[in-house]
Amino acid sequence: MNLEQILNKEELTREEIIFLLGLTARDEIESLFKKADEVRQQYCGDEVHLRGIIEISNYCDQNCFYCGLREENFNLSRYRMTPEEIIETARLITNFGINTIVLQSGEDHILDTDLIAYIIYSIKQKTDAAITLSLGERGFDEYRTWKIAGADRYLLKHETANPKLYSAYHLKQKLSDRISHLKFLKILGYQIGSGNMIGLPMQTIDDIADDILLCKELDLDMAAIGPFIPSPHTPYRLKKPGDVDLTLKTMAVARLVLKNVHIPATTALATLDEEGRIKGLNVGANVVMPDFTPTPYREQYQIYPDRKCMNDNPLNCRACLQIQIESIGRRISSTRGDSLKLSPQQITNWSFK
Ligand code: 5AD
Ligand code: SF4
C-alpha cells in the first residue's frame, strides 16, 4: 500500500486503518502524525477545550478486570462527595473560565436518580457550564431525568469493540448493551462520548481498527483513546501497559477517520509519558480533561496508579496547562466546546433556567 495515497483519502477501509496502525518506520509514523494534525486544524482549529473533572464517588458495583475501582478491590478506601462539595467544586472550575464540568464516578447506585438530578440542576442554576455525566451504565429513565435536569453530554466508553474481549473483561456485562445505551443517550439529545483502551490483554491491532470503526458507526461527538495501565489489586496487575506510540497512532488514525469529533489527550497517556499531553495534542487531540477533585478524595480515585498531576494542587492547574498549550502555538478555548457536529440551534437544552 502507498502511504501518501492512503493519507490523502477521504474515507479509509478497515485494511487501510490496520496498515496505518502497523506503521513502524519513524518517517512514516511522522507523516501520519502530520496529516492528523492538519485534519485537526481543519475541523477543530487551534483551540483546546478544557473539561474540568470532579470524581464524585469511587464506589463501583462493577468488577471490570482492568480497573482499580472494581467492587472486589477491598484495598481501596471509598468515598462519596456531598452535593455541597460537588456544587462548590463546579463553581471553582467555572471561576477558572472552564466551561464544561464532568461529573465522574464508578457505577454507584447510592448516587440515585434524584440526587444526581439535584446536583445537575443546582450547578445549572449557579453556572453557565455544560455538564457531562460519566457515571457508567445506568437506567434509561435515569438518563432521561438527568437530561431534563440540564445534563448536556454523556461519556460511556465502549472499552473494546471485540464482543468476546468485552465479555472477558466484564463478566456481568455485554458489549451490545453498552452500544444500546450509547444509542439511547443520543436519541435523548445528549452529546455522546465513548472510546477505548490501547494495550488491554489479548487485544490485537485488528481489534483497535474495529474500535475506531465503532466510534464512527456510533457517530460520536467525542472519542477518548487512552493506554491501559496495570493497576494493583486487579486481575491484570501483572500485565504490560499499553504502548505510547500505538496509542498516538490510534489517536491520529481516529482523527483521520472521525474528522469532526473532539479527541482528548488523556491523563492515562500523560501518566505513561511525561510529554504525553503535548504529544497527544500534536497528533489530532483538541481536548484536555484536568482533574479538579479536591483532596483527600483525588488520591483515592485510583483507577490506575501514579496518575499524572494527582499530587498537584488543582488551583495551579489551569495556569500550568495554559503554558503547555501556548508553548505549541495553541490556545485555551473560552467556549463550552460543544459538539462539532451540531449547530447552536440543535444543541438541546432542556434546562429550566
Ligand atoms: N488503565 C487505563 N484506563 C483505565 N480505565 C479503567 N481502568 C484503567 C486502566 N487500568 C478507564 C476506562 C474506564 C475509565 C473509568 O477509566 O476506560 O472507562
Ligand atoms: Fe467501575 Fe468503571 Fe472501573 Fe468498571 S471501569 S470497575 S465500571 S469505575
Side-chain angles (χ1 to χ4, degrees), residues 229-277:
I229 302 175
S231 190
H233 314 296
T234 67
Y236 290 160
R237 63 190 174 278
L238 301 177
K239 301 290 182 191
K240 275 198 323 226
D243 181 74
V244 168
D245 261 354
L246 181 57
T247 305
L248 293 168
K249 281 190 280 182
T250 309
M251 291 167 68
V253 179
R255 175 58 73 200
L256 301 189
V257 173
L258 306 174
K259 299 188 169 65
N260 56 346
V261 297
H262 293 299
I263 298 182
T266 63
T267 304
L269 179 61
T271 299
L272 282 188
D273 185 315
E274 196 53 38
E275 301 284 308
R277 274 209 182 105

Side-chain angles (χ1 to χ4, degrees), residues 66-68 104 157 159 197 227-231 268 301 303-304:
Y66 42 77
C67 178
Q104 192 158 66
K157 296 210 213 159
E159 317 291 4
M197 275 179 277
F228 160 71
I229 302 175
S231 190
Y301 205 81
I303 293 177
Y304 51 78

Side-chain angles (χ1 to χ4, degrees), residues 21 100 104 129 166 176 212 244 247 284 287 295 298 312 322:
L21 293 173
T100 296
Q104 192 158 66
Y166 192 93
S176 55
I212 297 173
V244 168
T247 305
V287 168
T295 308
R298 55 196 284 120
D312 293 352
Q322 185 163 351

Side-chain angles (χ1 to χ4, degrees), residues 89-103:
T89 309
R91 247 231 279 238
L92 177 99
I93 293 172
T94 55
N95 285 344
F96 280 111
I98 296 175
N99 298 315
T100 296
I101 311 286
V102 184
L103 302 178

Side-chain angles (χ1 to χ4, degrees), residues 13 36 59 67 75 88 93 105 146 199 220 283-284 309 320-321 332:
T13 64
Y59 282 88
C67 178
N75 290 280
E88 196 42 45
I93 293 172
S105 72
W146 297 337
L220 300 179
V283 302
C309 303
C320 169
L321 285 174
I332 293 179

